[in-house]
């Protein structure tokens, strides 16, 4: 397990993560890329705790995702199964488990203040914190092939991974109003949603 973790985690995070996995009896599965999630936790019918994490994540997002999922397990064990998945109990547990990792030996200095800010009130997914998500994306090995919604000019047409087409509208508080071309329905997009530009305003 240690050898496997070394491929996916920052070097100085391997030993403490291995301890967390051992202490809490986690069955860790590293799986192929899933578009809709970075990882998940489930208690299997036989009582085993299974956590899956995408193999495609860079080592910093992998670490945050792994600890995020372990925090679900620990929060459920500590507070019972009736708590909200991303409620206060989980947030406190996640914060507590992440503290030993938020240091310059584990994360690059440019990420540390963004991570520290995120963990004042962690979100249900690191992707919904646009600033953190974009900062983490800079460490992806493969070159970015898509655009972020916030980068597109107003009125641009873009495509999602599932083929649906949208036209970018104005920003409402933190998110962008975009109209689906086939239905005329309005949807709100996070600024860091990755999309394929089909036609910009000039195009």
């Amino acid at each position: 397990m240690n050898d496997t973790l070394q491929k996916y985690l920052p070097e100085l995070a391997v030993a403490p993560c291995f301890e967390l996995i051992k202490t809490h009896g986690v069955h860790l599965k590293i799986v192929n890329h899933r578009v809709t999630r970075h990882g998940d936790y489930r208690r299997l019918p036989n009582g085993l705790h299974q956590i899956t994490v995408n193999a495609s994540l860079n080592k910093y997002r992998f670490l945050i995702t792994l600890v995020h999922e372990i925090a679900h397990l620990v929060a459920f064990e500590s507070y019972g199964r009736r708590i909200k998945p991303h409620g206060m109990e989980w947030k406190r547990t996640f914060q507590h488990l992440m503290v030993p990792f938020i240091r310059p030996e584990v994360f690059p200095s440019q990420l540390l203040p963004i991570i520290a800010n995120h963990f004042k009130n962690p979100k249900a997914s690191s992707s919904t914190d646009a600033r953190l998500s974009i900062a983490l994306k800079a460490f992806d090995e493969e070159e970015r092939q898509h655009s972020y919604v916030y980068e597109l000019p107003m009125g641009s047409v873009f495509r999602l991974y599932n083929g649906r087409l949208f036209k970018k509208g104005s920003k409402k508080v933190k998110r962008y109003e975009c109209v689906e071309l086939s239905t005329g329905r309005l949807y709100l997009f996070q600024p860091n949603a990755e999309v394929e530009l089909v036609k910009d305003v000039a195009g």
Side-chain angles (χ1 to χ4, degrees):
M1 172 59 78
N2 242 342
D3 291 346
T4 304
L5 290 176
Q6 278 171 2
K7 291 184 210 164
Y8 295 102
L9 289 167
E11 189 182 346
L12 291 178
V14 173
C17 281
F18 182 63
E19 276 307 308
L20 282 175
I21 288 166
K22 212 165 62 173
T23 302
H24 298 290
V26 172
H27 176 61
L28 177 64
K29 283 177 76 175
I30 297 166
V31 299
N32 291 334
H33 178 73
R34 295 165 294 183
V35 174
T36 54
R37 64 184 60 191
H38 299 310
D40 65 11
Y41 159 69
R42 64 185 60 178
R43 187 174 182 176
L44 301 177
N46 61 6
L48 277 177
H49 300 290
Q50 179 179 286
I51 285 174
T52 63
V53 182
N54 291 3
S56 56
L57 304 181
N58 71 48
K59 56 191 177 180
Y60 306 115
R61 198 187 285 277
F62 192 101
L63 170 58
I64 292 169
T65 303
L66 176 60
V67 178
H68 172 125
E69 301 306 338
I70 292 173
H72 281 302
L73 186 170
V74 175
F76 283 136
E77 296 284 295
S78 303
Y79 300 101
R81 297 252 141 203
R82 301 181 71 152
I83 61 170
K84 290 180 180 173
H86 296 106
M88 279 313 301
E89 299 87 352
W90 170 80
K91 287 185 184 209
R92 279 199 295 268
T93 305
F94 193 15
Q95 287 166 330
H96 173 73
L97 292 177
M98 271 304 293
V99 164
F101 298 104
I102 303 174
R103 54 197 182 98
E105 295 84 358
V106 175
F107 285 103
S109 55
Q110 65 265 47
L111 274 181
L112 276 175
I114 300 168
I115 286 169
N117 188 60
H118 175 81
F119 279 96
K120 287 177 185 170
N121 183 22
K123 307 275 189 295
S125 164
S126 59
S127 290
T128 55
D129 181 337
R131 192 165 164 244
L132 176 61
S133 184
I134 290 163
L136 286 169
K137 204 81 181 155
F139 295 91
D140 285 356
E141 283 179 20
E142 62 202 50
E143 209 168 304
R144 186 154 64 95
Q145 313 209 328
H146 294 94
S147 304
Y148 294 125
V149 166
Y150 82 87
E151 296 173 324
L152 305 180
M154 179 97 79
S156 300
V157 174
F158 62 86
R159 183 185 287 120
L160 291 188
Y161 67 91
N162 57 14
R164 292 163 69 187
L165 292 170
F166 293 83
K167 187 173 185 178
K168 180 181 172 181
S170 57
K171 191 174 185 182
K172 298 289 178 195
V173 191
K174 290 183 176 178
R175 296 184 291 177
Y176 289 90
E177 284 187 339
C178 302
V179 176
E180 185 173 19
L181 296 187
S182 63
T183 63
R185 289 180 66 185
L186 204 60
Y187 291 84
L188 290 172
F189 279 80
Q190 291 281 359
N192 59 308
E194 287 188 75
V195 299
E196 180 190 346
L197 177 63
V198 176
K199 190 174 81 173
D200 67 26
V201 194

